Amino acid sequence: MDLPENKEPKPRDPDRDTKYRERPGERDGHPARDNPHGDRDREKQRERKKDARDRDKERHKEKSREQDTEKSHSKGKDRGDKDRDRRARREEPRQTAAHHNLLGRQPLDRAECRMGAVSKVRTEEKERRDEDPERGDEERERRYRERKLQYGDSKDNPLKYWLYKEEGEKRHRKQKEPDRERKHGEKSSTRERREKYPKGKSNSFPDKEGEERHKEKRHKEGFHFDEERRQSDMDKKERLLREDLKKRESKSSEHRRRGASSRRDPTSSREGPCALWYAENLVRNNEKDKDSRGKEVEKEDFDSESAGGDEYTACFEDDFEDYEDDFEVCDGDDDGSDELGAREKIEELPLARKKEIQEVQKAINAENERVSELSCRLAQKQGPLEGERALKTGANSSPARTPVCGIFVDFATASHREKSRTQALKQKMRSTRLLRLLDLDFSFTFSLLDLPPVNEYDMYIRNFGKKNTKQAYVQYNEDAVDRDVQTEEIETRGVWTQHPAEGATVSGGSGSGELRDVATAPKVDTPRLSSFLRAACQVIAVLLEEDRVGPEPGWSPGTQDGTLPVSDRSSQLNASLPFLQNRTVLCLCASQGQSQTVVSVHGLPGAPFAPALDGRYVLCVWDIWQPSGPQKVLICESKVTCCCFSPFKAFLLFAGTVHGSVVVWDLREDSGIHRYVKLGDCFWTFRTATFSTDGILTSVNHCSPVQAVEPVSTPVYRKQSFVLSPFSTQEEMSGLSFHVASLDESGVLNVWVVVELPKADIAGSVSDLGLIPGGRVKLVHSAVVRLSDGLSHTRFEFWGAMQTLNVKFLPSDPSHFIVGTDVGLISHGTRQDLKVSPKLYKPQQPGMRPVKVNVIDFSPFGEPVFLAGCSDGSIRLHQLTSERPVLQWDGSTDGHAVIGLHWSLTRPAVFLAQDDTSCIYVWDLLGSDLGPVAKQLISPDRLVAMTVVGEAEKANGSFLALVLARASGRVDVQYLKRTWAAPVADELRKLQLLLREAL
Amino acid sequence: MTSSTPASFTTGTADGLPETEKNAGESENTYILRPIFQQRFRPSVVKECIHAVLKEELANAEYSPEEMPQLTKRLSETIKDKLKEMGFDRYKMVVQVVIGEQRGEGVFMAARCFWDADTDNYTCDVFMNDSLFCVVAAFGCFYY
């Protein structure tokens, strides 16, 4: 068991070194460091306290110890020394106490001197005391250095701190060793040991070495290490010896323990009362002869020391030696190795957490203080004075002192502490061993609670209702208290529709039944439907009218007598309307596009009828299939001299007036923008002109009565629109793409562009003067051709102003036109003022004659021929390329002026003529090119105006009708006989042949 | 803003401290470096336990500064005892109870341990009512 120690003295030594060094550090928190004398003071005080109690006992001890030391010079010198040492300390106060009070500190030395011979022990003690301050300084330095070393290396591992602490504690224990060794000169292999060695030597050989020598040695300690080293060799030998002794001691002590005082066993109950302790002391004193006994005593001392806290004073270092002996026995090999390991660790210890250590020190000291206070209190019971002193010095009292008190007072606690100390020691060992096996680490930071601060509103809500406030209600509409709903939810439903309605679904909604609501409206082509309806209505109306006419033949007087001999049948347009009474027909005009549409222009009434209408001229648009009434009734302020329909489709009516204005009616207009007049039992809409050039465009407008209005369009002969065909492409194709030409008497030919406004402005337009509010069609002046210039500057200037009477445009080439004059000549011109040949078409009779060319008419079949009817009753057939007429019939009308001349619309070789004596002549050039094939006098109701309507393309339904206006105002339709109406095979070719022959 | 000082109390106990090394001459140690699996500190179980205790004890608790110190002590003892009964052999238990008043302030609590992560563990449970919050942290440290 001792072997390890012997084997490894050196490893242990450094430990001791450090421990030793550490020790003062622990103390230095207080007196040792700061005040070397403080130590002494405290010691003294403590000694003083103890004095009273110790005195008797100590004397016993002293004696026995002296005996001991002398007896066991070689064998038990350690024990003896220890005893002596301890005793010395106890004695010393006794001796010094008196001096101390009187002399203070300095006297100590004197006292020492005086007492020099009294007892070695005492002097030793004093030496020690003297030593203390010095040592304190030295040690402090050393310790400081060492700490630096130790902690400088590794500050990282906090574990080492604990190790360090543990080691520190161990060191505390072991520090006692060095102290002891100091006295015994044992185990001194290191410098410190050596330092103390002399002391130990001196202690161990008190007889031989005097006080003086001790002092010397102490002086030398710091400086003469060599010497010490030499001594260390001796020490080792001594130690060997001593350990032998120890063995023996332990045996005997154990024996003794069992025999004499089992109570003293550290593990068994040590809480015996003081009496026991005294008894033990007595016993021990008795036994002190034996060396082994010393150990026992030391143990006792140790107990008391531990009772006073972890105070490691020189006095009781002996005890630790003892303890360590025991310990060594227990631990065997481990101890040494552990210590070694621990020491290694110490050196690795993290950088001095000085603060922590200091704290530990403080804690220890604080505990010490507490204990000392406790002991003071106990001491007070014994002596109030001493207690007071103890209190005063309590703060400064070194931990070393209290145990002395505890020896007597706190035995029970002491034993307990001893137990816990061993326990702690074991645990420390455990921990050191375990820590080698384990790997401790820092956990990451656990968040135990993260309670964010509550914001103000949440706080309010949380506390709402807990306080004395109450929220009664919130109401938007505050005065409607009876309503407990704050806000009524608005019911909403999303629906949609789409215009134009393309696709299967035209409307839908996101409401209740989405899919159900999606109406699958049939795809309706509205314009197509409306046009179909328009046409269908027309047809139905015609049929209904025919039905009505049939059973009431009397309604139409012409059915009996009205039918002319040249016609198969006839019908009468109902011109007996109230507003047409007493109005004569000024002219008739048929539409080129729509063969059934005819307009009649009625003059001013002979007798006043209605003030609103009396001053106006009335135009009636008829459908010859619906003779019961006019389709539209138009009124005009000024006298209408001529009129025409728009080509292709008769929805526009143009008229020229005597005032030189050109007027346009848009027949599609809604009747709402026109005036309603209730006549009889039905309403009539009298449409005013949509656009009139009256008063505007004065620079270009006609200044004399308009003689003719003609539409100018792309070849009309190509294909006439079918009446009932609502899907006619021509409507879409041509639309309004035509011009209107108006010719006045003075030879000014104006060309107008018909413009349809995209949107009607019901409030009237500011810029478009002359346009009726809500109207959409207007005329824009395009060009003017002054025919009079071209005509007059030739050879007719002496005739004065020549009148132009009418104009016709070549159907195949609208840029060419011919103008009838009042001198029997027909002028040929183009809109572009190009040179044309011939310039004039002249009658066969040479020379100038005042013959008006009343009517001219181009063949509607594309043949470049035209007819001209003159006021002298001659009818000429001209080819466009020749100046002179192909044919000229001068006496066909017996000299009566021809006022009407119309090519048949169904037969290219047939034309109809009318003279001013109400005679109608039917010409069939294939039948006779010398005169008319038929002549019909219209009487007694004179004919005033005639026009021709007809349709060729109708399969075996082609008709040719004459619309005749009588002087009485009657208007009837005479359907010519089929012989003149139905075309003959190859008629056009035959006509051409005939014309070639005529040339 | 007044701050409520949480009352806390911590109890530690050495559970099943082995006395095996008592024998001085024994060279073999009895260290157990890892707990038996069944006896491992199981945070979930412990948490349940803590939760049960808190629910029972703090069901109708109101914060009052005078009572809280006792309450924390009692709670910690109770929980510690319960944990002891749960048979975490060789575990040292540390139970920390913190009770604070709920006044809207933010609170952040954190813990950090220096331990053997293989064997040691912890759990915590929070109980809150309108007037107080209670945080219990239980640490189990294995005693090798």
Side-chain angles (χ1 to χ4, degrees):
Chain A
M1 296 222 208
D2 286 342
L3 278 176
E5 273 204 318
N6 290 331
K7 282 174 194 166
E8 304 174 323
K10 283 185 180 175
R12 288 187 67 172
D13 287 344
D15 277 354
R16 280 173 203 151
D17 268 354
T18 56
K19 282 164 210 159
Y20 178 68
R21 266 174 257 142
E22 200 61 29
R23 221 200 113 228
E26 242 108 74
R27 278 195 291 170
D28 71 8
H30 296 292
R33 194 194 277 173
D34 302 331
N35 182 9
H37 300 293
D39 226 353
R40 231 177 288 156
D41 287 342
R42 253 176 288 133
E43 244 172 15
K44 277 174 211 158
Q45 284 172 353
R46 187 193 53 188
E47 308 296 86
R48 252 177 270 136
K49 273 185 260 165
K50 278 198 294 184
D51 275 351
R53 260 175 272 152
D54 286 354
R55 230 162 255 164
D56 292 353
K57 189 181 78 181
E58 290 296 324
R59 272 167 200 154
H60 284 292
K61 280 184 185 173
E62 208 173 76
K63 283 172 196 168
S64 62
R65 259 175 231 151
E66 276 169 6
Q67 287 169 3
D68 282 348
T69 48
E70 276 160 332
K71 275 180 192 170
S72 59
H73 176 65
S74 60
K75 174 184 143 190
K77 62 184 170 187
D78 333 27
R79 308 296 172 207
D81 285 346
K82 281 178 217 159
D83 284 353
R84 216 177 304 131
D85 203 46
R86 190 176 47 219
R87 186 188 49 199
R89 250 172 253 144
R90 285 169 194 154
E91 281 175 351
E92 175 218 51
R94 261 181 282 151
Q95 298 156 355
T96 55
H99 302 292
H100 178 71
N101 283 341
L102 297 170
L103 302 170
R105 282 162 204 165
Q106 289 175 347
L108 277 174
D109 289 337
R110 261 178 270 153
E112 198 181 301
C113 296
R114 268 176 257 144
M115 290 186 293
V118 177
S119 81
K120 299 161 213 161
V121 189
R122 276 178 211 164
T123 53
E124 273 173 22
E125 189 57 40
K126 280 172 204 161
E127 280 171 17
R128 277 204 70 250
R129 264 186 288 139
D130 291 341
E131 228 173 59
D132 276 344
E134 288 174 19
R135 210 187 304 145
D137 288 334
E138 283 176 14
E139 282 165 3
R140 217 183 310 143
E141 282 178 19
R142 225 176 290 140
R143 199 172 58 87
Y144 179 71
R145 260 177 275 133
E146 198 173 54
R147 260 194 208 163
K148 266 191 173 176
L149 278 173
Q150 282 177 353
Y151 299 136
D153 310 340
S154 51
K155 52 178 94 174
D156 50 319
N157 194 359
L159 165 62
K160 281 174 183 170
Y161 170 65
W162 298 105
L163 282 174
Y164 176 78
K165 258 178 120 183
E166 283 167 0
E167 286 302 320
E169 282 176 59
K170 273 183 189 168
R171 261 176 263 142
H172 294 320
R173 288 197 304 271
K174 284 165 190 169
Q175 274 159 8
K176 286 139 201 172
E177 271 180 0
D179 277 357
R180 185 194 58 200
E181 283 163 4
R182 233 185 295 149
K183 293 154 205 161
H184 301 299
E186 286 179 0
K187 302 177 183 175
S188 60
S189 60
T190 65
R191 202 188 297 167
E192 286 203 0
R193 190 77 35 71
R194 272 174 243 134
E195 276 179 5
K196 284 132 210 173
Y197 177 69
K199 229 196 297 173
K201 230 180 174 182
S202 70
N203 288 335
S204 56
F205 306 104
D207 298 347
K208 297 168 191 170
E209 298 172 301
E211 182 190 329
E212 303 290 336
R213 191 178 146 206
H214 274 299
K215 280 178 185 170
E216 280 174 14
K217 275 195 177 172
R218 253 177 280 128
H219 283 296
K220 285 171 192 168
E221 271 173 4
F223 310 102
H224 308 294
F225 296 123
D226 295 339
E227 202 181 309
E228 286 164 6
R229 250 171 236 153
R230 260 176 270 135
Q231 286 168 346
S232 70
D233 292 335
M234 291 169 64
D235 286 342
K236 280 175 193 166
K237 288 168 196 169
E238 281 173 2
R239 200 168 62 186
L240 281 173
L241 263 177
R242 186 193 66 134
E243 273 155 9
D244 282 343
L245 282 173
K246 266 187 196 168
K247 278 182 194 173
R248 273 172 248 150
E249 272 175 15
S250 61
K251 282 171 198 165
S252 59
S253 66
E254 265 166 42
H255 172 73
R256 178 181 22 112
R257 261 178 230 153
R258 273 174 236 131
S261 55
S262 62
R263 257 171 287 149
R264 263 172 272 148
D265 195 321
T267 50
S268 63
S269 67
R270 287 199 170 188
E271 293 97 19
C274 290
L276 277 175
W277 197 87
Y278 282 117
E280 217 171 5
N281 262 356
L282 286 174
V283 173
R284 187 182 51 185
N285 288 340
N286 292 337
E287 287 174 356
K288 264 181 181 170
D289 337 28
K290 301 165 191 174
D291 288 336
S292 59
R293 184 80 185 108
K295 199 179 179 184
E296 223 28 67
V297 177
E298 280 158 14
K299 276 189 178 174
E300 297 290 349
D301 286 348
F302 176 72
D303 290 347
S304 64
E305 179 193 281
S306 65
D310 293 333
E311 300 151 10
Y312 308 107
T313 56
C315 333
F316 299 99
E317 276 159 5
D318 319 19
D319 302 336
F320 285 95
E321 170 78 338
D322 265 357
Y323 176 76
E324 198 171 39
D325 287 348
D326 289 348
F327 189 65
E328 280 164 9
V329 170
C330 299
D331 292 338
D333 297 347
D334 287 345
D335 194 10
S337 60
D338 271 4
E339 272 182 17
L340 182 62
R343 206 200 160 249
E344 282 162 6
K345 280 178 185 172
I346 287 165
E347 279 166 0
E348 292 165 12
L349 270 179
L351 171 63
R353 301 188 173 178
K354 283 181 186 175
K355 280 184 182 175
E356 288 177 20
I357 292 167
Q358 278 168 5
E359 274 170 14
V360 172
Q361 288 167 354
K362 276 178 198 167
I364 290 166
N365 286 329
E367 202 178 15
N368 294 344
E369 280 167 36
R370 244 183 291 134
V371 174
S372 66
E373 274 175 18
L374 186 74
S375 56
C376 284
R377 254 173 266 137
L378 288 167
Q380 276 174 353
K381 289 170 192 170
Q382 297 162 1
L385 268 174
E386 280 176 3
E388 269 178 27
R389 258 177 263 149
L391 275 174
K392 280 176 199 165
T393 56
N396 288 332
S397 66
S398 90
R401 207 166 300 164
T402 43
V404 185
C405 310
I407 287 172
F408 302 101
V409 180
D410 248 356
F411 186 67
T413 336
S415 63
H416 180 70
R417 282 202 177 268
E418 165 67 0
K419 204 170 25 171
S420 62
R421 231 185 117 277
T422 43
Q423 197 80 290
L425 187 71
K426 278 171 194 162
Q427 291 198 26
K428 270 166 223 150
M429 279 167 50
R430 230 178 95 81
S431 71
T432 47
R433 286 178 203 176
L434 278 167
L435 282 170
R436 271 179 294 170
L437 304 171
L438 297 173
D439 190 18
L440 298 187
D441 55 356
F442 277 113
S443 68
F444 54 86
T445 305
F446 311 118
S447 170
L448 298 179
L449 174 67
D450 190 358
L451 198 65
V454 182
N455 65 37
E456 212 168 307
Y457 177 75
D458 286 346
M459 207 61 202
Y460 172 77
I461 290 300
R462 186 182 290 178
N463 294 327
F464 184 75
K466 289 180 186 169
K467 293 171 183 169
N468 290 329
T469 56
K470 190 186 166 201
Q471 187 168 305
Y473 64 88
V474 173
Q475 175 87 27
Y476 155 64
N477 194 7
E478 270 189 4
D479 31 52
V481 192
D482 54 328
R483 298 185 68 95
D484 51 358
V485 244
Q486 294 187 3
T487 306
E488 196 86 45
E489 198 170 314
I490 298 166
E491 287 180 10
T492 58
R493 200 161 76 92
V495 292
W496 59 270
T497 183
Q498 158 177 326
H499 179 84
E502 287 168 1
T505 58
V506 293
S507 70
S510 64
S512 46
E514 290 87 351
L515 282 173
R516 192 165 40 103
D517 279 5
V518 175
T520 55
K523 183 182 164 75
V524 175
D525 189 347
T526 313
R528 202 178 135 188
L529 176 66
S530 63
S531 59
F532 168 78
L533 285 176
R534 215 184 302 138
C537 286
Q538 222 166 8
V539 172
I540 297 299
V542 169
L543 292 175
L544 288 172
E545 195 141 320
E546 282 176 355
D547 266 2
R548 198 170 49 185
V549 169
E552 293 178 37
W555 179 79
S556 169
T559 44
Q560 296 96 12
D561 58 341
T563 303
L564 297 172
V566 293
S567 58
D568 290 335
R569 57 189 176 94
S570 70
S571 66
Q572 187 178 353
L573 299 179
N574 184 16
S576 56
L577 295 167
F579 55 90
L580 293 181
Q581 298 296 327
N582 300 318
R583 288 177 185 263
T584 58
V585 174
L586 299 176
C587 71
L588 286 171
C589 182
S591 163
Q592 294 170 353
Q594 280 174 284
S595 55
Q596 80 276 20
T597 305
V598 176
V599 63
S600 63
V601 180
H602 300 263
L604 292 173
F609 165 72
L613 291 172
D614 277 350
R616 297 156 193 231
Y617 295 81
V618 175
L619 294 87
C620 290
V621 179
W622 302 88
D623 185 347
I624 56 169
W625 308 118
Q626 292 173 273
S628 60
Q631 302 293 309
K632 303 279 182 338
V633 179
L634 319 174
I635 54 174
C636 184
E637 299 286 339
S638 60
K639 183 184 177 183
V640 174
T641 54
C642 59
C643 60
C644 72
F645 280 101
S646 57
F648 318 123
K649 191 147 169 60
F651 58 89
L652 290 177
L653 182 65
F654 305 94
T657 65
V658 288
H659 297 115
S661 60
V662 179
V663 190
V664 184
W665 283 271
D666 184 358
L667 303 179
R668 302 164 303 175
E669 269 174 2
D670 183 24
S671 58
I673 65 172
H674 296 289
R675 192 190 304 175
Y676 274 101
V677 174
K678 189 180 180 186
L679 297 171
D681 48 353
C682 49
F683 288 93
W684 294 95
T685 303
F686 295 97
R687 298 170 181 260
T688 49
T690 302
F691 184 79
S692 169
T693 59
D694 265 336
I696 61 165
L697 305 169
T698 47
S699 58
V700 295
N701 210 354
H702 300 287
C703 299
S704 48
V706 176
Q707 290 292 338
V709 177
E710 283 290 318
V712 181
S713 67
T714 48
V716 286
Y717 64 90
R718 279 188 345 193
K719 203 162 179 81
Q720 298 296 322
S721 71
F722 190 57
V723 187
L724 288 179
S725 162
F727 316 119
S728 156
T729 52
Q730 285 179 346
E731 179 186 334
E732 286 112 42
M733 184 187 78
S734 54
L736 288 169
S737 63
F738 63 93
H739 295 186
V740 170
S742 59
L743 177 73
D744 66 5
E745 283 181 348
S746 61
V748 174
L749 180 70
N750 273 324
V751 180
W752 309 88
V753 177
V754 180
V755 174
E756 184 169 25
L757 300 174
K759 194 181 173 189
D761 189 354
I762 200 72
S765 171
V766 179
S767 56
D768 296 328
L769 299 175
L771 185 69
I772 189 175
R776 291 179 63 195
V777 174
K778 67 173 188 176
L779 295 175
V780 174
H781 186 258
S782 165
V784 59
V785 180
R786 302 199 178 275
L787 300 170
S788 53
D789 302 342
L791 288 172
S792 55
H793 81 277
T794 52
R795 40 199 141 142
F796 311 117
E797 51 267 2
F798 51 92
W799 281 94
M802 186 176 60
Q803 273 194 344
T804 52
L805 301 174
N806 46 44
V807 65
K808 286 289 177 185
F809 287 83
L810 180 66
S812 57
D813 185 3
S815 62
H816 289 264
F817 58 87
I818 52 173
V819 176
T821 64
D822 59 348
V823 290
L825 301 175
I826 296 167
S827 171
H828 182 204
T830 62
R831 287 193 284 160
Q832 287 83 21
D833 271 345
L834 301 172
K835 279 276 184 189
V836 287
S837 159
K839 282 187 80 173
L840 293 166
Y841 300 99
K842 296 169 181 171
Q844 286 176 339
Q845 300 90 345
M848 303 290 289
R849 291 183 302 151
V851 174
K852 290 182 182 176
V853 178
N854 282 335
V855 285
I856 47 179
D857 194 19
F858 272 105
S859 165
F861 289 94
E863 196 65 24
V865 293
F866 63 90
L867 288 169
C870 301
S871 57
D872 61 351
S874 64
I875 295 172
R876 303 183 326 217
L877 176 67
H878 279 275
Q879 255 191 326
L880 203 62
T881 51
S882 63
E883 197 177 53
R884 298 293 168 181
V886 179
L887 291 169
Q888 181 170 344
W889 303 276
D890 288 326
S892 63
T893 59
D894 295 333
H896 298 294
V898 175
I899 57 169
L901 190 62
H902 298 276
W903 283 100
S904 161
L905 296 172
T906 56
R907 287 187 60 184
V910 173
F911 63 91
L912 297 158
Q914 171 206 359
D915 68 8
D916 56 358
T917 57
S918 297
C919 266
I920 296 172
Y921 304 89
V922 179
W923 290 75
D924 184 357
L925 295 178
L926 294 181
S928 160
D929 58 351
L930 300 174
V933 292
K935 178 186 176 184
Q936 177 65 48
L937 181 65
I938 308 296
S939 65
D941 200 358
R942 222 165 50 80
L943 179 69
V944 290
M946 181 192 81
T947 189
V948 175
V949 294
E951 203 151 0
E953 287 84 358
K954 222 172 188 178
N956 46 346
S958 63
F959 71 98
L960 185 65
L962 294 173
V963 180
L964 308 173
R966 314 288 182 93
S968 63
R970 228 180 91 185
V971 179
D972 52 359
V973 181
Q974 301 289 337
Y975 296 91
L976 285 177
K977 288 186 173 162
R978 282 201 65 81
T979 47
W980 298 307
V984 183
D986 277 343
E987 187 173 344
L988 187 59
R989 200 178 52 80
K990 285 174 186 171
L991 179 65
Q992 287 165 349
L993 193 67
L994 183 139
L995 291 175
R996 218 172 296 136
E997 285 169 3
L999 281 173
Chain B
M1 198 103 170
T2 56
S3 147
S4 62
T5 49
S8 74
F9 188 74
T10 308
T11 46
T13 176
D15 201 11
L17 179 69
E19 298 286 323
T20 44
E21 287 102 291
K22 194 88 183 174
N23 189 352
E26 195 177 40
S27 57
E28 292 290 317
N29 63 53
T30 59
Y31 304 151
I32 297 175
L33 288 181
R34 291 291 173 268
I36 304 165
F37 184 74
Q38 287 79 9
Q39 293 169 355
R40 242 174 205 285
F41 186 90
R42 276 160 294 167
S44 56
V45 181
V46 175
K47 194 180 181 98
E48 272 174 37
C49 170
I50 294 171
H51 197 71
V53 172
L54 289 186
K55 256 175 112 176
E56 188 186 323
E57 296 273 340
L58 298 176
N60 299 311
E62 287 265 323
Y63 187 87
S64 74
E66 296 80 20
E67 294 170 16
M68 286 307 118
Q70 287 77 31
L71 183 61
T72 50
K73 270 178 206 164
R74 198 176 76 233
L75 279 175
S76 59
E77 289 293 342
T78 315
I79 292 166
K80 184 195 76 184
D81 292 343
K82 289 234 174 173
L83 294 186
K84 274 196 201 174
E85 290 164 13
M86 295 176 79
F88 298 124
D89 201 18
R90 272 176 170 257
Y91 265 102
K92 270 175 185 267
M93 297 292 180
V94 179
V95 178
Q96 187 187 25
V97 178
V98 176
I99 295 179
E101 188 174 6
Q102 285 255 46
R103 299 186 63 167
E105 294 91 338
V107 182
F108 186 80
M109 278 179 66
R112 204 169 177 216
C113 302
F114 180 66
W115 65 13
D116 183 356
D118 292 339
T119 58
D120 305 337
N121 211 333
Y122 95 110
T123 188
C124 83
D125 194 45
V126 181
F127 178 90
M128 280 207 243
N129 63 21
D130 285 346
S131 76
L132 58 80
F133 65 87
C134 177
V135 184
V136 176
F139 302 87
C141 302
F142 189 68
Y143 193 88
Y144 301 96

